[in-house]
Amino acid sequence: MFSKDKLKGFLIGTAAASMVLLSASAFAAPVTKTITAAYSNIKLYVNGQQIIPKDTDGAVVEPFIYEGTTYLPVRAVAQALNQQVKWDQAAQSVYIDGASEVNHSPEYLSDQQVMQLLEKSTRSMKVSSGGPIDNTKACEYEAVAGDPDFRSYTCGFKTKNEVKQYLEEVFTPAYTEALMEQLGFIEINGRLAQRVADGGTIYDWSRAAIKGKSIQGNKAEVEFAIPVSEGFEAPKGEEVLSKKIVYELVKGMGWRMTQAR
């Protein structure tokens, strides 16, 4: 197995070799070359974890062998090593940032950011169930006069704008708007009311682990391995299921989740 330093060197060599296939020289116009490549179900592992290379559309890109050299997708390998990859169309150049994770540009979505947002995503459930809200006592409910489909908060938020700000610290504005519309928030006499909504999940998110991560532009697809409780979603004899969640880089806000977990 490659060491991390050796794999980094191999990565750079792969990038250089790949670009040679695309152009006759560094300064020549791009040319098309037909090659015969061997696909042998090559698997890629980084630090013992299997990486499934994918293109910008999420399709699997299989490594191949050409004239005795193994070629790997640069972006997938670089991201597995916590490096950022940028493609400069005008210069026809690939840039790989080998700095440590803390020095990545704001566009990079680290595993730490993924898990921090995931942990905070319980806010959608707190809002949907009416509370309790962070740092407050448990909420008590009372029916809204003349409308049995609503109940009001007696603690936590008083306005829809407060709910919006609370949710947008974790979720995209689009998801926040959709959730609030679904819950039918209304303000009555300075208090907030919503439709009755209850829900749950068999997924044990407290023990979720990142299984894979693919970043393409301002979108990132993260696959989680999650232990589950007994239920129809858990096939017999299987205790861990996979679930994918999309993260989006929102201008002026940073990375946000596009859905609840």
Side-chain angles (χ1 to χ4, degrees):
M1 184 178 292
F2 285 102
S3 68
K4 189 170 183 179
D5 289 339
K6 287 182 179 179
L7 188 53
K8 286 183 179 178
F10 180 62
L11 167 67
I12 304 301
T14 303
S18 298
M19 286 188 285
V20 168
L21 290 176
L22 295 175
S23 59
S25 70
F27 301 101
V31 297
T32 300
K33 181 179 181 180
T34 301
I35 66 172
T36 300
Y39 290 89
S40 305
N41 193 27
I42 299 171
K43 296 181 175 61
L44 173 61
Y45 290 84
V46 175
N47 295 326
Q49 181 177 358
Q50 185 176 3
I51 305 300
I52 308 298
K54 296 182 180 180
D55 62 17
T56 55
D57 295 322
V60 174
V61 181
E62 185 179 348
F64 63 88
I65 300 174
Y66 171 62
E67 293 186 346
T69 299
T70 302
Y71 292 85
L72 308 176
V74 174
R75 182 178 299 277
V77 178
Q79 289 177 349
L81 293 171
N82 289 328
Q83 296 183 343
Q84 186 177 5
V85 178
K86 291 185 179 180
W87 165 249
D88 188 331
Q89 178 69 29
Q92 291 288 292
S93 301
V94 176
Y95 295 91
I96 300 173
D97 175 14
S100 63
E101 185 171 291
V102 296
N103 291 326
H104 277 291
S105 68
E107 289 77 18
Y108 181 75
L109 176 64
S110 68
D111 289 357
Q112 183 180 9
Q113 288 175 295
V114 167
M115 298 308 293
Q116 285 176 341
L117 287 170
L118 184 68
E119 183 179 357
K120 292 180 180 179
S121 66
T122 56
R123 294 187 180 191
S124 65
M125 291 182 285
K126 289 179 179 180
V127 167
S128 297
S129 62
I133 309 304
D134 294 344
N135 301 319
T136 70
K137 64 179 182 179
C139 294
E140 298 175 359
Y141 311 113
E142 64 181 67
V144 175
D147 191 346
D149 292 332
F150 285 86
R151 61 185 176 190
S152 60
Y153 286 106
T154 56
C155 67
F157 306 114
K158 292 184 178 180
T159 67
K160 289 188 287 185
N161 190 52
E162 288 179 353
V163 178
K164 181 175 181 292
Q165 291 179 356
Y166 179 74
L167 291 173
E168 284 188 351
E169 290 180 10
V170 181
F171 303 103
T172 61
Y175 177 77
T176 295
E177 181 180 355
L179 179 60
M180 293 183 66
E181 182 177 352
Q182 174 187 337
L183 295 174
F185 281 102
I186 58 174
E187 295 174 23
I188 301 177
N189 299 324
R191 297 168 66 184
L192 195 65
Q194 68 173 97
R195 294 191 184 96
V196 176
D198 292 300
T201 175
I202 64 170
Y203 291 95
D204 184 358
W205 286 99
S206 66
R207 294 190 291 137
I210 297 175
K211 187 176 180 180
K213 181 174 63 177
S214 174
I215 305 175
Q216 305 293 343
N218 68 335
K219 294 288 183 66
E221 183 180 78
V222 182
E223 184 175 5
F224 295 92
I226 318 155
V228 298
S229 305
E230 282 188 40
F232 67 92
E233 293 184 62
K236 186 176 181 180
E238 187 171 293
E239 298 180 353
V240 178
L241 296 182
S242 295
K243 182 164 183 166
K244 294 180 180 179
I245 293 180
V246 175
Y247 290 66
E248 181 179 337
L249 183 64
V250 180
K251 187 175 181 180
M253 298 175 66
W255 287 98
R256 294 293 187 268
M257 296 174 67
T258 64
Q259 65 194 89
R261 66 192 196 184

